[in-house]
Amino acid sequence: MEFALFCARVNVLLLLLALCSPCKFIQSPMDFGPLSFLQNTSTASVDFGRILFNSPSAVLRPQSSEDISLLLGFLSSSSFSRVTVAARGAGHSIHGQAQALDGIVVEMDALPSNIEIYKKGEGVVGVSYADVSGGALWIELLHESLKRGLAPRSWTDYLYLSVGGTLSVGGVSGQTFKYGPQVSNVLQLDVVTGKGKLVTCTPTKSPELFFAVLGGLGQFGIITRARILLQDAPEKVKWVRAFYDDFDAFTRDQELLISMPELVDYVEGFVVLNEQFLHSSSTAFPTHLHFTPEFHSNGSSRAFYCIEFAVHDDGSKNASTEELQTIVNKAGHQVVEEIARRLSHLPSHLYRAEVSYYDFLNRVRMEEMSLRGVGLWEVPHPWLNMFVPKSGLKAFRDLLLESISPDEFAGPVLLYPLLRDKWDTNTSAVLPEAAEGAAEDERVLYIVGVLRSANPASCTAECLRDLLRRNRGIAEAASAPGIGAKQYIPHHPSPSHWREHFGRRWERLAARKARFDPLGILAPGHGIFPRISSASSSSL
């Protein structure tokens, strides 16, 4: 065993010599003992954003956590290497966050999924859960868990994302108001730190690492396995959309819906800018929308709004009051009727559908296939996602509408509420600061996703650069004290901007980096910390 480990280290040393040489020695797949490297793959320098294309010098497709541990352990002990490493899951980042220019990309989809489902009473803890590879996709976990009548509680809208990837940023969707983000629904993690140590961690066992990697943007370790909390899965979902022409009524009704977690299981919302949104958003919704608003009035553009909510048809719910118990005992469609009566939507513009739970969760896949069919999926996506305090929401809405051209905007604009107290402040995820002595309603904040597509046929390279400049302008204005927003899945141009982003949490972040990845090997695409050599570190 010791001889095999010695040989493996020699082989990795040869790899480092190849990487550090001005000549590219890795011209074809190379076998370095237990580790097999490729010079590049078709995916290693591409992400969903299609804005940056940074090519690595090598790609590792690991077969186990130990492969990743061996690589990072050797890199962290090398006295001359400045090689960086990025873990790539499904590649759904926007600004090259999972790329490693002239470094090594670890393609996590190569890890065996190894999904294991445990019902309450079967596993080592007293709840239902799944043990799953960090490289597995959420859609794979859904398939396997539904076979046992179970499913995770918290989701993202798009399911073809890796488990480790979304846990590294937060993981939000319409269930977040009720169950918190995905990072609040994890029981245990297996993590390879930047030092190459393979650690099993929980909220009570190695808790600093556990909370550091959750929402940690890949800065502290690579998640190779996760234990995800599960619940009983409903068979069907009552899916409802309601339209508004008044922003205050729209947000007031959203906040009403999230105040009824005994009844409502999912809440999202959209800003309706043009006919294109109505067409694209109805791909998955199985009921025809007889909504034909006037987007232009007196020579100016006009925005409308849509609330989307869902009620699980599972036959039983817990209710906290006698009044709610009376409601939940009624059939699913009657529950929807009771909720709808409390809303202030446009008359005759509330639409209902009933779909399977699987089809509801996988709804964005239908939109993806539609866009792929016309060649509009693999295009640049200059997205911007922001957490916005409730107090700054109207100002942010005005800023956004002033900064975009509604007629030309292609893609959805999501806008829906979350609850601050559903997020664990021990994680590395960053939310807008709550003012001291803030009112009770400041526990509500909003996620706003400006999910634009840029068709190369109509948006040139200069057009794309202009869209990115606009996004930066929106982000900087929204981050100022008047609004106080924070980016979700953040992208910043300099370390000083990152310090401002993390605010009073910067010192904790830097301390965690120094502890778990002191050489700055991991996740170089973010540009948060510089890569340093171990020799430089030793001389400090």
Side-chain angles (χ1 to χ4, degrees), residues 6-292:
F6 171 77
C7 291
R9 289 182 175 274
V10 170
N11 287 327
V12 176
L13 176 60
L14 293 175
L15 169 68
L16 291 180
L17 290 172
L19 290 175
C20 295
S21 169
C23 302
K24 295 296 183 183
F25 292 127
I26 304 180
Q27 301 296 334
S28 59
M30 295 187 68
D31 184 10
F32 287 88
L35 302 183
S36 182
F37 292 91
L38 306 174
Q39 180 189 20
N40 205 342
T41 64
S42 61
T43 56
S45 59
V46 180
D47 61 19
F48 186 69
R50 292 184 176 268
I51 295 167
L52 297 176
F53 302 88
N54 295 316
S55 295
S57 290
V59 175
L60 173 66
R61 292 187 58 77
Q63 299 305 301
S64 67
S65 300
E66 286 74 17
D67 287 354
I68 302 172
S69 175
L70 177 60
L71 172 66
L72 291 175
F74 195 87
L75 290 176
S76 67
S77 63
S78 169
S79 62
F80 62 88
S81 172
R82 297 178 71 89
V83 174
T84 57
V85 175
R88 185 186 191 278
H92 209 73
S93 56
I94 301 301
H95 295 281
Q97 289 96 328
Q99 297 172 15
L101 179 62
D102 295 331
I104 301 173
V105 168
V106 179
E107 294 192 328
M108 299 297 290
D109 64 332
L111 288 175
S113 294
N114 291 340
I115 300 173
E116 300 173 359
I117 308 297
Y118 298 91
K119 280 197 168 185
K120 183 178 180 179
E122 295 178 351
V124 295
V125 294
V127 294
S128 298
Y129 66 89
D131 284 338
V132 57
S133 163
L137 303 182
W138 286 97
I139 187 68
E140 296 177 292
L141 178 53
L142 178 62
H143 282 147
E144 293 303 313
S145 61
L146 284 179
K147 293 176 183 178
R148 301 292 306 277
L150 300 169
R153 306 193 309 173
S154 188
W155 294 95
T156 53
D157 289 334
Y158 184 59
L159 303 186
Y160 291 77
L161 307 176
S162 69
V163 170
T166 66
L167 293 182
S168 295
V169 295
V172 300
S173 186
Q175 302 89 0
T176 303
F177 82 93
K178 186 168 184 171
Y179 296 113
Q182 290 180 320
V183 294
S184 294
N185 289 272
V186 184
L187 302 174
Q188 179 176 292
L189 296 170
D190 286 352
V191 177
V192 181
T193 70
K195 294 180 177 180
K197 294 182 179 179
L198 178 55
V199 181
T200 297
C201 50
T202 72
T204 56
K205 177 184 177 184
S206 300
E208 187 69 15
L209 179 61
F210 178 81
F211 289 116
V213 297
L214 293 173
L217 307 177
Q219 293 298 311
F220 313 106
I222 296 176
I223 298 171
T224 60
R225 195 156 183 82
R227 178 165 291 170
I228 306 296
L229 187 62
L230 303 179
Q231 66 177 358
D232 292 339
E235 292 186 3
K236 294 185 178 297
V237 171
K238 308 293 184 184
W239 186 3
V240 182
R241 286 184 174 178
F243 289 89
Y244 295 75
D245 62 358
D246 180 82
F247 186 72
D248 289 335
F250 165 66
T251 56
R252 186 168 57 248
D253 278 0
Q254 282 191 313
E255 292 176 27
L256 173 64
L257 288 168
I258 69 168
S259 74
M260 299 187 289
E262 301 92 343
L263 300 176
V264 181
D265 297 288
Y266 163 99
V267 177
E268 288 196 8
F270 312 93
V271 182
V272 183
L273 296 173
N274 51 44
E275 291 282 354
Q276 182 179 357
F277 167 79
L278 287 174
H279 175 73
S280 62
S281 68
S282 63
T283 302
F285 194 71
T287 299
H288 182 67
L289 303 177
H290 302 281
F291 184 57
T292 55

Side-chain angles (χ1 to χ4, degrees), residues 338-357:
E338 292 284 354
I339 295 170
R341 290 191 189 103
R342 306 184 189 187
L343 304 180
S344 302
H345 57 83
L346 288 170
S348 302
H349 288 300
L350 183 140
Y351 304 91
R352 307 168 183 81
E354 182 177 275
V355 298
S356 72
Y357 183 58

